[in-house]
């Protein structure tokens, strides 16, 4: 272990990762199991010359970080299911005005206030479809404390690079887990591109990257932005052609760069006949189950979604290898499995393994499931 | 998973006893000795007084599943804690209970655990330190005295990282008391 190795909690790793990536504005409303992030940011933001604001609720929290982001700050807020529900309106607005923001959602048991201190993976579809209208979100899912640190940095980088909201989808267990982590910087820090000159400045005009170079507010550029459909000038329009161009561009700015955005981790998928597909904390049990099955001579493997959205069917098909049976363990009644059934249709046997009692799926439970279902 | 170099520990008791902090201190000590660790906890919505569980895995290699599934040691500081989180023990599990607050439960016997050690942890803290606050550190002394999971000097260093200076002497004494409890028990050979 290197000198930089320290024992850290998942929430602390997110806060420190965000700070390392340049986050200097945090607005939030504390909620279990994400509260430590607000607590840490209240202490750390003043230390690094940043700003911490405790807001009156989560609607205010998300709109505060959108405003700070448009004024040029790298921003973060953290919440859990009940608060994430309130943030959905602001999330859609952030998509539309192309505000680089990062929201951490630490999943607890729902719906509603559910069980605050119990783990779940019930917000997966909410990250993608929680706000209305055609929109695209980047969703990253850590399964360890070390990865919480890395992905916090990556989330800020991707938000800045593509001017798009990024959701860091953690869960109660990863948020509260303590593990040794190495805080040496893993990747370069990315800053948003800014307009070069005022002459002819159009905030939503783009080049081949399809990412606009919107000036930070207060830097002398005349910038208008709105949740209404807008042209390159930023002013509202009801022109169907402009609307179509806008929505397609917001999709393409991400989908033209899937190699950069999508990360899938595979283990023994090349020769597996049974493949576990999972994300977040559930993948930790999968690793051990696969190891045990392999030690017994069974060709087992795994695929873990580090990037959950954008979701690319072709990449998933390629990464899946030849496995005839795909087991999908998740701490909900079946959300990831819906996507996989769509991807694979009848070509593979897709078997959901769901647990909804607030506990994790242990490796032993996975092995029992494989045995009892004759997989 | 079978691994001779893996140690799984579960502490359970009442919120406010400092068991989660105790598990964090032990985790840091193990890290100082080059081990890898995962530390986790379960607690209720109560600020204090609810039943809590703190878990620690110490291993020489990467730990995939981070929760305790096959404990080497279970320490129960309240009877509620033992009732709620006493499941999942096996023939390899050493069970420690606080005899100053509970009797040995009926469901523990030679058949389902490795051994049962009943030590007056809370009453020792109260009578010798004049404070219940040292209970978690007395327990760490017991655990290290019993298992040698980490070196005593390392543990002292880790305690120092988490305890304010003005309370350090008391907590070092608490560690000693815990180890003395184990030593005294070993001398008499009395096990319940």
């Amino acid at each position: 272990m290197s000198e930089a190795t320290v024992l850290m909690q998942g929430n602390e790793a997110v806060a420190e990762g965000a700070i390392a990536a340049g986050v200097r504005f945090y607005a939030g409303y504390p909620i279990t199991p994400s509260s430590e992030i607000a607590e840490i940011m209240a202490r750390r933001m003043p230390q690094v010359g940043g700003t911490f604001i405790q807001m009156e609720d989560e609607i205010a929290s998300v709109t505060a970080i959108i405003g700070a982001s448009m004024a040029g700050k790298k921003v973060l807020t953290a919440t859990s299911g009940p608060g994430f529900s309130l943030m959905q309106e602001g999330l859609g607005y952030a998509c539309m005005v192309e505000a680089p923001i990062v929201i951490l959602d630490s999943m607890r048991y729902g719906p509603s206030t559910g069980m605050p201190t119990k783990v779940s993976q019930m917000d997966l579809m909410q990250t993608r479809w929680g706000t209305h209208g055609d929109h695209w979100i980047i969703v990253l899912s850590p399964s360890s404390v070390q990865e919480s640190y890395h992905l916090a940095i990556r989330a800020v980088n991707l938000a800045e690079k593509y001017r798009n909201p990024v959701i860091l989808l953690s869960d109660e267990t990863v948020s509260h887990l303590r593990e040794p982590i190495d805080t040496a910087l893993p990747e370069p820090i990315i800053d948003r591109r800014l307009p070069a000159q005022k002459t002819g400045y159009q905030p939503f005009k783009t080049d081949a990257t399809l990412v606009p170079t919107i000036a930070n507010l207060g830097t002398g550029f005349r910038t208008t932005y709105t949740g209404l459909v807008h042209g390159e000038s930023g002013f509202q329009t009801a022109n169907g052609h402009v609307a179509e161009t806008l929505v397609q561009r917001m999709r393409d700015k991400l989908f033209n760069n899937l190699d950069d955005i999508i990360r899938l981790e595979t283990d023994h998928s090349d020769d597996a006949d049974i493949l576990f597909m999972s994300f977040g904390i559930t993948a930790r049990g999968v690793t051990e189950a696969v190891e045990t099955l392999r030690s017994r001579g069974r060709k087992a493997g795994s695929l873990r979604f580090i990037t959950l959205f954008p979701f690319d069917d072709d990449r998933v098909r390629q990464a899946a290898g030849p496995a005839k049976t795909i087991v999908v363990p998740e701490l909900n009644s079946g959300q990831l499995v819906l996507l996989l059934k769509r991807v694979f249709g009848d070509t593979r046997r897709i078997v959901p393994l769901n647990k909804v009692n607030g506990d994790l799926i242990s490796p032993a439970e996975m092995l029992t499931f494989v045995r009892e279902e004759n997989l | 998973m079978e691994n001779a170099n893996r140690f799984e520990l579960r502490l359970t008791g009442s919120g406010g006893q400092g068991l989660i902090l105790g598990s964090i201190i032990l985790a840091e000590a193990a890290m100082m000795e080059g081990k890898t660790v995962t530390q986790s906890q379960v607690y209720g919505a109560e600020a204090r007084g609810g039943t809590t569980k703190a878990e620690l895995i110490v291993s020489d290699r990467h730990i995939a599943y981070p929760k305790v599934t096959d404990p080497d040691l279970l320490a129960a500081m309240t009877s509620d804690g033992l009732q709620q989180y006493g499941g999942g023990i096996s023939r390899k599990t050493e069970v420690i209970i606080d005899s100053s607050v509970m009797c040995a439960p009926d469901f523990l016997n030679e058949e389902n655990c490795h051994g049962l050690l009943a030590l007056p942890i809370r009453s020792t803290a109260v009578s010798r330190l004049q404070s219940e606050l040292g209970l978690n550190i007395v327990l760490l002394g017991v655990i290290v005295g019993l298992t040698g999971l980490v070196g005593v000097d390392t543990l002292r260093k880790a305690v120092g990282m988490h305890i304010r200076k003005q309370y350090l002497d008391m907590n070092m004494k608490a560690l000693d008391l815990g180890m003395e409890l184990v030593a005294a028990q070993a001398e008499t050979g009395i096990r319940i």
Side-chain angles (χ1 to χ4, degrees):
Chain A
M1 268 179 250
S2 85
E3 287 293 308
T5 301
V6 289
L7 185 69
M8 227 185 238
Q9 191 193 51
N11 279 336
E12 194 181 356
V14 167
E16 292 301 331
I19 291 168
V23 166
R24 293 295 180 270
F25 186 92
Y26 182 98
Y29 186 87
I31 179 171
T32 301
S34 74
S35 299
E36 290 85 358
I37 297 178
E39 190 184 342
I40 291 163
M41 285 306 211
R43 189 181 71 245
R44 294 281 284 129
M45 277 294 108
Q47 289 175 354
V48 295
T51 304
F52 170 91
I53 309 180
Q54 161 135 7
M55 303 306 294
E56 66 269 33
D57 60 35
E58 288 86 348
I59 299 174
S61 302
V62 70
T63 45
I65 65 166
I66 293 169
S69 176
M70 295 310 271
K73 293 288 182 188
K74 293 185 179 179
V75 299
L76 174 73
T77 190
T79 189
S80 185
F84 193 46
S85 292
L86 290 182
M87 290 185 182
Q88 293 304 326
E89 182 184 349
L91 185 56
Y93 183 73
C95 289
M96 198 59 152
V97 304
E98 299 181 65
I101 64 167
V102 178
I103 300 174
L104 174 123
D105 174 24
S106 179
M107 289 181 285
R108 68 189 217 183
Y109 198 97
S112 190
T113 35
M115 291 196 283
T117 60
K118 296 288 186 177
V119 68
S120 90
Q121 295 182 306
M122 294 172 168
D123 302 352
L124 171 62
M125 283 301 169
Q126 188 189 22
T127 62
R128 179 64 189 90
W129 297 113
T131 196
H132 62 276
D134 266 11
H135 65 280
W136 289 272
I137 306 259
I138 298 173
V139 183
L140 310 177
S141 160
S143 70
S144 69
V145 177
Q146 179 75 68
E147 200 172 42
S148 296
Y149 183 80
H150 286 316
L151 289 187
I153 296 174
R154 191 165 155 70
V156 177
N157 279 346
L158 291 174
E160 292 285 318
K161 185 172 180 180
Y162 296 106
R163 292 203 68 111
N164 207 84
V166 178
I167 310 297
L168 199 50
L169 186 63
S170 191
D171 60 68
E172 187 279 332
T173 301
V174 171
S175 284
H176 285 154
L177 190 64
R178 283 184 183 80
E179 294 182 301
I181 79 160
D182 188 342
T183 52
L185 271 190
E187 44 193 325
I189 302 305
I190 298 173
D191 296 322
R192 68 188 69 174
R193 290 191 309 150
L194 294 169
Q197 53 180 17
K198 288 179 188 165
T199 318
Y201 169 67
Q202 298 263 60
F204 289 87
K205 191 177 169 64
T206 62
D207 56 15
T209 65
L210 303 183
V211 181
T213 48
I214 305 169
N216 294 330
L217 293 180
T219 56
F221 288 76
R222 178 181 287 196
T223 295
T224 299
Y225 59 92
T226 168
L228 293 163
V229 164
H230 47 270
E232 292 179 343
S233 68
F235 284 98
Q236 179 265 336
T237 173
N239 180 317
H241 174 67
V242 173
E244 189 177 17
T245 306
L246 175 64
V247 166
Q248 283 174 353
R249 178 178 64 73
M250 290 197 298
R251 176 190 187 278
D252 290 345
K253 74 175 177 178
L254 300 184
F255 277 72
N256 288 351
N257 294 288
L258 293 181
D259 280 339
D260 183 40
I261 299 169
I262 291 183
R263 295 278 183 278
L264 306 174
E265 183 185 80
T266 55
D267 177 32
H268 288 109
S269 58
D270 45 344
D271 73 337
D273 64 58
I274 181 168
L275 193 73
F276 292 83
M277 288 197 181
S278 64
F279 68 99
I281 189 62
T282 306
R284 301 280 295 261
V286 166
T287 303
E288 222 167 282
V290 166
E291 209 173 303
T292 305
L293 286 167
R294 283 266 160 188
S295 73
R296 294 175 186 169
R298 182 74 196 269
K299 285 189 172 165
S302 65
L303 184 156
R304 178 167 74 91
F305 291 89
I306 299 170
T307 306
L308 282 159
F309 299 105
F311 191 95
D312 181 54
D313 295 14
D314 288 339
R315 278 175 177 72
V316 175
R317 253 182 236 115
Q318 270 170 22
K324 291 274 180 284
T325 302
I326 293 170
V327 183
V328 190
E330 46 185 333
L331 303 176
N332 54 48
S333 298
Q335 296 189 20
L336 179 63
V337 74
L338 297 174
L339 294 168
L340 298 174
K341 280 184 173 166
R342 188 197 72 206
V343 170
F344 293 104
D346 294 331
T347 61
R348 321 275 178 110
R349 184 176 174 202
I350 309 282
V351 191
L353 168 50
N354 308 109
K355 189 164 178 179
V356 289
N357 69 353
D359 285 332
L360 300 180
I361 308 175
S362 72
E365 287 172 312
M366 293 180 195
L367 295 172
T368 304
F369 182 79
V370 168
R371 193 181 62 241
E372 287 180 352
E373 300 290 315
N374 293 315
L375 299 175
Chain B
M1 183 154 297
E2 286 305 315
N3 185 339
N5 294 318
R6 183 182 170 112
F7 190 90
E8 299 194 0
L9 169 71
R10 181 179 292 159
L11 311 178
T12 174
S14 174
Q17 287 182 318
L19 299 181
I20 294 173
L21 176 61
S23 67
I24 294 169
I25 291 172
L26 209 47
E28 300 222 310
M31 270 180 70
M32 282 184 225
E33 296 189 351
K35 307 276 189 181
T36 192
V37 297
T38 60
Q39 182 279 334
S40 61
Q41 57 266 304
V42 172
Y43 53 86
E46 308 89 343
R48 61 191 67 77
T51 301
T52 63
K53 172 173 83 163
E55 293 188 339
L56 174 65
I57 302 176
V58 177
S59 176
D60 283 340
R61 48 171 242 168
H62 174 73
I63 301 163
Y65 189 68
K67 295 270 188 176
V68 167
T69 53
D70 191 10
D72 295 273
L73 184 73
L74 167 72
M77 295 299 101
T78 62
S79 157
D80 281 352
L82 185 62
Q83 293 294 338
Q84 205 164 328
Y85 297 116
I89 58 170
S90 71
R91 287 295 295 275
K92 80 174 208 189
T93 313
E94 186 81 40
V95 181
I96 300 171
I97 62 166
D98 187 347
S99 60
S100 47
V101 296
M102 67 173 116
C103 301
D106 297 337
F107 68 88
L108 285 174
N109 55 51
E110 287 171 347
E111 295 299 309
N112 57 20
C113 68
H114 185 260
L116 175 66
L117 195 54
L119 297 171
I121 293 168
R122 180 179 177 277
S123 61
T124 300
V126 171
S127 65
R128 303 285 298 277
L129 304 169
Q130 285 76 48
S131 168
E132 205 178 329
L133 292 179
L135 176 147
N136 55 345
I137 308 297
V138 175
L139 177 60
L140 291 192
V142 169
I143 292 169
V144 169
L146 193 66
T147 64
L149 180 63
V150 294
V152 177
D153 289 340
T154 319
L155 186 56
R156 286 190 198 284
K157 236 185 264 173
V159 170
M161 287 166 64
H162 285 273
I163 305 287
R164 285 192 198 160
K165 262 194 184 143
Q166 65 259 43
Y167 302 115
L168 208 51
D169 285 348
M170 184 189 107
N171 282 282
M172 291 304 159
K173 194 177 166 197
L175 265 188
D176 292 335
L177 287 171
M179 290 186 286
E180 283 168 24
L181 282 175
V182 176
Q185 187 280 329
E187 218 160 275
T188 60
I190 301 168
R191 292 180 78 95
I192 297 171

